[in-house]
Amino acid sequence: MDPRLAIIDRRLEDIGRVIAISGGKGGVGKSVTASVMALLLSKLGYRTGLLDLDFYGPSVHTILGAKPTLPEEDRGVVPPEVHGIRFMSIIHYAGENPSPIRGVDISNATIELLAVTRWGSLDFLVVDMPPGIGDTTLDAVRLMKGAEFLLVTTGSKVSLAVVRRLLSMLVELKVRVIGVLENMRMDGSSSARDEMEALGVPFLGEIEFDRGLEDSIGDVEKLMRTHFAGKLERVLGKVLSST
């Protein structure tokens, strides 16, 4: 048995809730949802951590305007603090260079990152999941026991089809799903609300396509004034009231 697995349990034991932001598909707004949610939680006074588990295309640091910083080492790795959030990502080590890892190496990298990171006591750890329904998602479920999933989708048929498959997998694994958020809602686009209600899955709300969001990337003050952040704050209320 890998001794790092027992260490992971100790690293996470003082964290109140672990919320994994997923969707199964890239380009639906998972990373910006995870980033803004962590910022909102910190703004409300919660001790918050943010973990970017996307090894292929980490983007949380870009959204937050954070430069790669070599973390302090003290019986493990202490996540650097960014805008009041303890933030951990592979970019602290790889910088902007690609991380060409696959297969068992992905699982090994996930285990290593979770084993070395000393989060300390947190109310929330928000995890930005990579796209796809594969090793990293399965590893997250296996390694972060008790993690809850918040799924992000658009109204497109393709995105909804992927979310349905992800939901089916999570239900089979007996993982708690907080609910589904529809992002980038467009006039006349298909709504996820009816489909999620038919599946018996909590629908957290819709966020309309925010044309000003892209201009706010890298500027946290501007980001928190966007329509997207305002709507996500309402969704957060549902997340906080869910148990």
Side-chain angles (χ1 to χ4, degrees):
M1 180 178 176
D2 191 331
R4 294 176 299 176
L5 300 182
I7 296 174
I8 291 173
D9 291 340
R10 293 203 300 271
R11 298 295 195 204
L12 301 177
E13 66 183 0
D14 291 327
I15 297 175
R17 293 176 69 180
V18 177
I19 299 178
I21 309 298
S22 187
K25 187 178 183 302
V28 297
K30 293 183 288 76
S31 296
V32 72
T33 299
S35 301
V36 173
M37 181 169 290
L39 290 167
L40 288 168
L41 286 166
S42 179
K43 179 183 173 183
L44 290 171
Y46 292 105
R47 297 164 299 174
T48 306
L50 178 57
L51 172 62
D52 191 341
L53 270 186
D54 191 344
F55 297 140
Y56 293 136
S59 58
V60 168
H61 65 291
T62 301
I63 295 167
L64 297 178
K67 295 182 179 180
T69 303
L70 194 62
E72 174 189 346
E73 294 190 17
D74 179 14
R75 292 169 296 160
V77 172
V78 180
E81 188 167 298
V82 178
H83 305 297
I85 299 166
R86 299 174 202 173
F87 171 54
M88 193 63 183
S89 168
I90 197 171
I91 61 103
H92 292 319
Y93 298 98
E96 296 296 348
N97 298 311
S99 302
I101 54 178
R102 63 180 185 178
V104 68
D105 291 332
I106 296 176
S107 292
N108 189 56
T110 302
I111 291 171
E112 186 68 18
L113 195 62
L114 290 172
V116 301
T117 305
R118 292 185 57 202
W119 293 105
S121 181
L122 293 176
D123 297 306
F124 290 93
L125 174 60
V126 180
V127 183
D128 180 29
M129 297 293 296
I133 306 173
D135 289 344
T136 309
T137 302
L138 292 171
D139 283 336
V141 171
R142 175 173 64 96
L143 299 170
M144 297 188 292
K145 301 176 181 66
E148 310 165 58
F149 275 67
L150 187 156
L151 308 186
V152 181
T153 184
T154 65
S156 78
K157 293 179 180 179
V158 173
S159 182
L160 286 170
V162 175
V163 163
R164 281 197 300 271
R165 290 196 291 272
L166 177 57
L167 278 169
S168 178
M169 184 187 79
L170 293 174
V171 169
E172 184 176 341
L173 294 172
K174 296 181 172 56
V175 175
R176 182 170 183 271
V177 177
I178 298 171
V180 174
L181 169 67
E182 182 180 352
N183 191 26
M184 293 185 274
R185 172 85 166 142
M186 304 279 286
D187 290 341
S189 65
S190 174
S191 173
R193 181 185 298 273
D194 292 343
E195 183 148 1
M196 293 306 114
E197 290 179 350
L199 292 171
V201 178
F203 184 72
L204 300 175
E206 304 164 346
I207 299 182
E208 296 78 11
F209 181 74
D210 186 347
R211 298 185 183 279
L213 185 60
E214 181 64 26
D215 290 338
S216 72
I217 298 299
D219 184 337
V220 164
E221 290 188 6
K222 192 173 182 180
L223 178 64
M224 297 302 282
R225 294 196 300 268
T226 60
H227 171 77
F228 177 89
K231 290 298 289 284
L232 189 61
E233 189 167 12
R234 299 181 193 177
V235 172
L236 182 59
K238 297 180 181 180
V239 174
L240 293 174
S241 63
S242 67
T243 55

